[in-house]
Amino acid sequence: MIPLSLTPFTLVYLLLVMAMAAFAFHKVKMLTLFFSRRVARPPEAEAGDVDRAPRVCVQCPVYNEPLVIDALLEAVAGIRWPEGRLEIQVLDDSSDATTALIVDWLARHPREAVKFQHVRRARREGYKAGALAHGVSLTDAEFFAIFDADFRPGADFLEALMPHFVAPDVAVVQARWEFANRHASLLTRFQALFLDAHFVVEQTARHTAGLFFNFNGTAGIWRRAALDAAGGWTSDTVTEDLDVSYRAQLLGWRFVYRGDYAVPSELPENISAFKSQQRRWTKGGVQVMRKQLGTILRSGVPARIKREATWHLSVGFIHPLLVAFAVMLVPYFLYVPMASGGSAGWLWFTQPVALVFTFWATIGLYVAGQQLRRGEWLRSLGVVVASPLILSFGLAMSVTNTVAVIEGLCQRGGEFVRTPKGGAGAEVGGLFERLRSRTLFLGITGVEAALGLVMAAGAVYFARLGMAGTALLLGVKASGFLGLAAVSLRDLRPGRAAVA
């Protein structure tokens, strides 16, 4: 039976589980919005096409991308748009061989080179946001299409997306990200799974429900008037795309999401690069929350938009909850039966809450992302089968993201650490940057290993007691932490190039 009184320990655990369930409930909300508002065909442009070809500037911010720069230049050079109405800025802040490769490519392609402007700055001030803002100041273009170094837009990108700007209140048209290397490894498969849930389900749900959603930093087009009205690119957060998106929508500008139109890109192929990317995204989200949430809540936008914006900008706080859950899990299983006189009542009360809301809500989001991306029911079934491993990996990643949450709460702006691109051999530019990142991630890896060992020891202990279910649960979660720590240590070995 469930004891009538709560001890401080069980109360903290119960509150922790309920807080995680609240975040999981938001996933259920996203799924509900998606299925209730999903239309059979993609969003259409306003009646009539663009009757003239406005001047478009394609911006390619790059920093030390020697492995992918040629492919980027080939792709953007092939974008179709009326002659004389398209310019391409290569915003090159590189300190390695990338600059020479750009010069060489332009020299080998004189016909395409007339559309290009190779922009170099004396200092990498403001990082990506600074580069984009500098590029804006160099042109009178009415629209800006932005592509990171690993993106490969199709030749019809502008033809497909620009007609939406016939509506004068449209600020941004965002395309969906696709991943050319999604099947390269188990790591890239996991990443694709997580990101498909965002791009296929969440972005579509927010757009079709009339809620705020964000420009994703690349594979989209901005109207200059909207960008200027919102204050332009700023570097006081490390997710400048999320920041300016909320500023523009608070002014009444409308965003369009084209989930049916995908632009291929590349996922990080080593765990340290992935951790670096997740750390920046999480840190930046918390920074934007600090900067924007008060303004949003005081604004005149509808209450449902305020509620969703609060959830969207606060999502990073799930990670400290997950770390606390991981820390308390083994002590909980040890303490509760003793405190309740051997009764497993609390186990039966709290675990279904965690299972139903956190497990199935999260897996449901991932399954929907896979099935709706290409109708891949077989892959969706594979997600269900692999779900314990997937969720264990996500739980283990929460250590990195908890560090990012703390940084986001304590720091304003900060260095924009790029995600290495170009496969498993990609590396961050300088020796100092690699050493600093290695030191940070080595500490994070130590915490991951410690949590994994505690859970593994708990699994052995409960297996000896004949509690097979508890032992299996702890064993699976231990595998996530220990597996992530082992792969991270491999990447962090001295001499490994692929360190983010």
Side-chain angles (χ1 to χ4, degrees), residues 30 34 174-175 197-209 211-216 257 312:
M30 288 289 100
F34 180 87
Q174 173 70 58
H198 171 69
F199 284 102
V200 176
V201 180
E202 292 180 333
Q203 289 289 72
T204 302
R206 292 188 179 107
H207 172 227
T208 56
L211 302 170
F212 286 0
F213 70 94
N214 61 297
F215 169 63
N216 292 114
Y257 184 64
H312 186 196

Short mmCIF file of all heavy atoms in Angstrom, two decimals, residues 30 34 174-175 197-209 211-216 257 312:
data_model
loop_
_atom_site.label_atom_id
_atom_site.label_comp_id
_atom_site.label_asym_id
_atom_site.label_seq_id
_atom_site.Cartn_x
_atom_site.Cartn_y
_atom_site.Cartn_z
N MET A 30 2.19 18.72 -28.74
CA MET A 30 2.70 18.92 -30.09
C MET A 30 2.14 17.88 -31.06
O MET A 30 1.77 18.20 -32.19
CB MET A 30 4.24 18.85 -30.08
CG MET A 30 4.93 20.04 -29.45
SD MET A 30 4.81 21.55 -30.45
CE MET A 30 3.48 22.40 -29.57
N PHE A 34 -0.27 18.65 -34.20
CA PHE A 34 0.15 18.22 -35.53
C PHE A 34 -0.97 17.44 -36.23
O PHE A 34 -1.33 17.73 -37.37
CB PHE A 34 1.41 17.37 -35.44
CG PHE A 34 1.90 16.90 -36.78
CD1 PHE A 34 2.76 17.68 -37.53
CD2 PHE A 34 1.50 15.68 -37.29
CE1 PHE A 34 3.20 17.25 -38.78
CE2 PHE A 34 1.94 15.25 -38.52
CZ PHE A 34 2.80 16.04 -39.26
N GLN A 174 10.97 29.09 -44.02
CA GLN A 174 11.95 28.11 -43.54
C GLN A 174 11.71 26.77 -44.20
O GLN A 174 10.59 26.25 -44.20
CB GLN A 174 11.84 27.96 -42.03
CG GLN A 174 12.70 26.85 -41.42
CD GLN A 174 14.18 27.16 -41.47
OE1 GLN A 174 14.62 28.17 -40.94
NE2 GLN A 174 14.95 26.29 -42.11
N ALA A 175 12.76 26.17 -44.78
CA ALA A 175 12.68 24.82 -45.33
C ALA A 175 13.05 23.80 -44.25
O ALA A 175 13.67 24.13 -43.24
CB ALA A 175 13.61 24.68 -46.53
N ALA A 197 11.95 14.68 -35.32
CA ALA A 197 10.82 15.00 -34.45
C ALA A 197 10.59 16.50 -34.40
O ALA A 197 9.44 16.97 -34.39
CB ALA A 197 11.06 14.45 -33.05
N HIS A 198 11.67 17.27 -34.40
CA HIS A 198 11.56 18.73 -34.38
C HIS A 198 11.06 19.26 -35.72
O HIS A 198 10.09 20.02 -35.78
CB HIS A 198 12.91 19.35 -34.03
CG HIS A 198 12.93 20.84 -34.19
ND1 HIS A 198 12.22 21.69 -33.37
CD2 HIS A 198 13.56 21.64 -35.10
CE1 HIS A 198 12.43 22.94 -33.75
NE2 HIS A 198 13.23 22.94 -34.79
N PHE A 199 11.73 18.84 -36.81
CA PHE A 199 11.42 19.44 -38.11
C PHE A 199 10.14 18.90 -38.75
O PHE A 199 9.46 19.63 -39.47
CB PHE A 199 12.60 19.25 -39.07
CG PHE A 199 13.76 20.16 -38.79
CD1 PHE A 199 14.88 19.69 -38.12
CD2 PHE A 199 13.71 21.49 -39.15
CE1 PHE A 199 15.94 20.54 -37.84
CE2 PHE A 199 14.76 22.35 -38.87
CZ PHE A 199 15.87 21.87 -38.21
N VAL A 200 9.82 17.66 -38.49
CA VAL A 200 8.63 17.08 -39.11
C VAL A 200 7.38 17.37 -38.28
O VAL A 200 6.32 17.71 -38.82
CB VAL A 200 8.80 15.56 -39.30
CG1 VAL A 200 7.52 14.93 -39.85
CG2 VAL A 200 9.96 15.27 -40.25
N VAL A 201 7.50 17.25 -36.95
CA VAL A 201 6.31 17.37 -36.10
C VAL A 201 6.21 18.76 -35.46
O VAL A 201 5.23 19.49 -35.66
CB VAL A 201 6.31 16.28 -35.01
CG1 VAL A 201 5.07 16.42 -34.12
CG2 VAL A 201 6.34 14.90 -35.65
N GLU A 202 7.21 19.14 -34.66
CA GLU A 202 7.08 20.35 -33.86
C GLU A 202 6.97 21.62 -34.70
O GLU A 202 6.10 22.46 -34.46
CB GLU A 202 8.27 20.46 -32.89
CG GLU A 202 8.28 19.39 -31.81
CD GLU A 202 9.46 19.53 -30.88
OE1 GLU A 202 10.51 20.06 -31.30
OE2 GLU A 202 9.34 19.09 -29.73
N GLN A 203 7.87 21.79 -35.68
CA GLN A 203 7.81 23.00 -36.50
C GLN A 203 6.50 23.08 -37.27
O GLN A 203 5.89 24.14 -37.38
CB GLN A 203 9.00 23.04 -37.46
CG GLN A 203 10.35 23.30 -36.81
CD GLN A 203 10.49 24.73 -36.32
OE1 GLN A 203 9.87 25.12 -35.34
NE2 GLN A 203 11.32 25.52 -36.99
N THR A 204 6.06 21.94 -37.83
CA THR A 204 4.80 21.92 -38.56
C THR A 204 3.63 22.24 -37.64
O THR A 204 2.72 23.00 -37.99
CB THR A 204 4.58 20.55 -39.23
OG1 THR A 204 5.67 20.29 -40.11
CG2 THR A 204 3.29 20.52 -40.02
N ALA A 205 3.64 21.65 -36.43
CA ALA A 205 2.55 21.88 -35.48
C ALA A 205 2.46 23.35 -35.10
O ALA A 205 1.36 23.93 -35.08
CB ALA A 205 2.76 21.02 -34.24
N ARG A 206 3.60 23.97 -34.79
CA ARG A 206 3.56 25.38 -34.40
C ARG A 206 3.09 26.26 -35.55
O ARG A 206 2.32 27.19 -35.36
CB ARG A 206 4.95 25.82 -33.92
CG ARG A 206 5.38 25.17 -32.60
CD ARG A 206 6.67 25.77 -32.07
NE ARG A 206 7.05 25.15 -30.80
CZ ARG A 206 8.05 24.30 -30.64
NH1 ARG A 206 8.79 23.95 -31.68
NH2 ARG A 206 8.31 23.78 -29.46
N HIS A 207 3.58 25.97 -36.75
CA HIS A 207 3.20 26.79 -37.90
C HIS A 207 1.72 26.69 -38.19
O HIS A 207 1.02 27.69 -38.33
CB HIS A 207 4.01 26.36 -39.13
CG HIS A 207 3.56 27.02 -40.40
ND1 HIS A 207 3.34 26.32 -41.56
CD2 HIS A 207 3.25 28.30 -40.67
CE1 HIS A 207 2.94 27.15 -42.50
NE2 HIS A 207 2.88 28.35 -41.99
N THR A 208 1.21 25.47 -38.29
CA THR A 208 -0.20 25.30 -38.67
C THR A 208 -1.15 25.76 -37.57
O THR A 208 -2.30 26.12 -37.86
CB THR A 208 -0.49 23.83 -39.02
OG1 THR A 208 -0.14 22.99 -37.91
CG2 THR A 208 0.29 23.39 -40.25
N ALA A 209 -0.68 25.79 -36.32
CA ALA A 209 -1.52 26.26 -35.21
C ALA A 209 -1.43 27.76 -35.01
O ALA A 209 -2.09 28.30 -34.11
CB ALA A 209 -1.14 25.54 -33.93
N LEU A 211 1.21 29.44 -34.00
CA LEU A 211 2.08 29.75 -32.86
C LEU A 211 3.42 30.26 -33.36
O LEU A 211 3.78 30.09 -34.52
CB LEU A 211 2.27 28.50 -32.00
CG LEU A 211 0.99 27.88 -31.45
CD1 LEU A 211 1.28 26.52 -30.83
CD2 LEU A 211 0.32 28.80 -30.43
N PHE A 212 4.19 30.86 -32.47
CA PHE A 212 5.54 31.30 -32.84
C PHE A 212 6.43 30.08 -33.06
O PHE A 212 6.37 29.11 -32.30
CB PHE A 212 6.15 32.15 -31.72
CG PHE A 212 5.59 33.54 -31.62
CD1 PHE A 212 4.60 34.00 -32.48
CD2 PHE A 212 6.05 34.41 -30.64
CE1 PHE A 212 4.08 35.27 -32.39
CE2 PHE A 212 5.54 35.70 -30.53
CZ PHE A 212 4.55 36.12 -31.40
N PHE A 213 7.23 30.11 -34.10
CA PHE A 213 8.29 29.12 -34.26
C PHE A 213 9.51 29.86 -34.78
O PHE A 213 9.42 31.03 -35.16
CB PHE A 213 7.86 27.97 -35.18
CG PHE A 213 7.72 28.34 -36.64
CD1 PHE A 213 8.78 28.15 -37.52
CD2 PHE A 213 6.53 28.84 -37.14
CE1 PHE A 213 8.66 28.48 -38.85
CE2 PHE A 213 6.39 29.16 -38.48
CZ PHE A 213 7.46 28.98 -39.34
N ASN A 214 10.65 29.19 -34.80
CA ASN A 214 11.88 29.90 -35.07
C ASN A 214 12.49 29.56 -36.41
O ASN A 214 12.39 28.43 -36.90
CB ASN A 214 12.92 29.64 -33.98
CG ASN A 214 13.30 28.19 -33.85
OD1 ASN A 214 12.46 27.36 -33.51
ND2 ASN A 214 14.56 27.87 -34.11
N PHE A 215 13.12 30.56 -37.01
CA PHE A 215 14.05 30.33 -38.11
C PHE A 215 15.20 29.49 -37.57
O PHE A 215 15.70 29.75 -36.48
CB PHE A 215 14.55 31.68 -38.63
CG PHE A 215 15.72 31.60 -39.58
CD1 PHE A 215 15.59 30.97 -40.81
CD2 PHE A 215 16.94 32.16 -39.24
CE1 PHE A 215 16.66 30.90 -41.68
CE2 PHE A 215 18.01 32.10 -40.11
CZ PHE A 215 17.87 31.46 -41.33
N ASN A 216 15.62 28.48 -38.31
CA ASN A 216 16.60 27.52 -37.80
C ASN A 216 18.05 27.86 -38.13
O ASN A 216 18.92 27.01 -38.04
CB ASN A 216 16.27 26.12 -38.29
CG ASN A 216 14.98 25.59 -37.70
OD1 ASN A 216 14.00 25.38 -38.39
ND2 ASN A 216 14.96 25.38 -36.38
N TYR A 257 6.48 27.83 -42.70
CA TYR A 257 7.31 26.62 -42.65
C TYR A 257 6.96 25.70 -43.80
O TYR A 257 5.79 25.31 -43.97
CB TYR A 257 7.12 25.89 -41.33
CG TYR A 257 8.04 24.69 -41.20
CD1 TYR A 257 9.42 24.87 -41.16
CD2 TYR A 257 7.53 23.40 -41.13
CE1 TYR A 257 10.27 23.78 -41.05
CE2 TYR A 257 8.37 22.31 -41.01
CZ TYR A 257 9.74 22.50 -40.98
OH TYR A 257 10.58 21.42 -40.89
N HIS A 312 8.53 26.47 -25.19
CA HIS A 312 9.59 26.36 -26.21
C HIS A 312 10.92 26.87 -25.66
O HIS A 312 11.96 26.22 -25.82
CB HIS A 312 9.15 27.17 -27.44
CG HIS A 312 10.07 27.03 -28.61
ND1 HIS A 312 10.06 27.90 -29.67
CD2 HIS A 312 11.04 26.13 -28.89
CE1 HIS A 312 10.97 27.54 -30.56
NE2 HIS A 312 11.58 26.46 -30.11
#
